[in-house]
Amino acid sequence: MSGQSVDNLPNSENMVILDKALYHFERAQRIGLLNPKTLQKQIASIYLVKGESEKAAPQLESVLEENPNDLEARFRLGVIAEDLGSLELAEEHFLAALIPDEDLKTS
């Protein structure tokens, strides 16, 4: 559940606000407003706060397709993988966040 316990999940009022924000971010994404990478990260953040990591992961993976060295996306995917019990995948994301591809090529 994205590093959150059930006790830390938003209450119903906050969930309504998060759902409205999610609706508007997804609408902005569909019509091409704002930077797509920024929108994907915001959408992923909302899903993570809601405890819906399975919906956050594709947004973050899309960010990595454009920029494999996006530290924020790598770290969040590492947390998601760890929460889901995929420790090898989590380690891969965490290491990639610590050692970007360019650094590997120059060492």
Side-chain angles (χ1 to χ4, degrees):
M1 300 242 322
S2 319
Q4 294 188 15
S5 72
V6 175
D7 296 333
N8 292 334
L9 288 176
N11 64 35
S12 61
E13 282 183 35
N14 289 341
M15 289 295 264
V16 169
I17 293 168
L18 289 170
D19 286 338
K20 285 181 181 181
L22 186 58
Y23 167 80
H24 289 292
F25 278 126
E26 288 176 335
R27 186 167 179 230
Q29 186 179 42
R30 280 191 304 276
I31 61 177
L33 292 177
L34 304 172
N35 178 318
K37 186 170 95 170
T38 301
L39 282 170
Q40 289 169 316
K41 287 181 182 181
Q42 292 299 326
I43 291 168
S45 294
I46 293 170
Y47 280 132
L48 289 172
V49 169
K50 291 178 65 173
E52 298 177 13
S53 57
E54 70 285 348
K55 293 180 180 178
Q59 296 289 333
L60 297 168
E61 289 164 354
S62 181
V63 170
L64 289 182
E65 286 176 13
E66 184 180 325
N67 178 9
N69 293 322
D70 188 295
L71 301 179
E72 182 181 2
R74 282 278 179 202
F75 179 79
R76 288 181 181 184
L77 281 168
V79 170
I80 290 169
E82 184 179 42
D83 287 347
L84 296 175
S86 299
L87 300 182
E88 287 181 24
L89 182 59
E91 180 181 30
E92 181 182 313
H93 283 301
F94 290 140
L95 287 174
L98 292 172
I99 307 169
D101 284 345
E102 291 94 29
D103 291 348
L104 290 174
K105 292 175 186 171
T106 59
S107 37

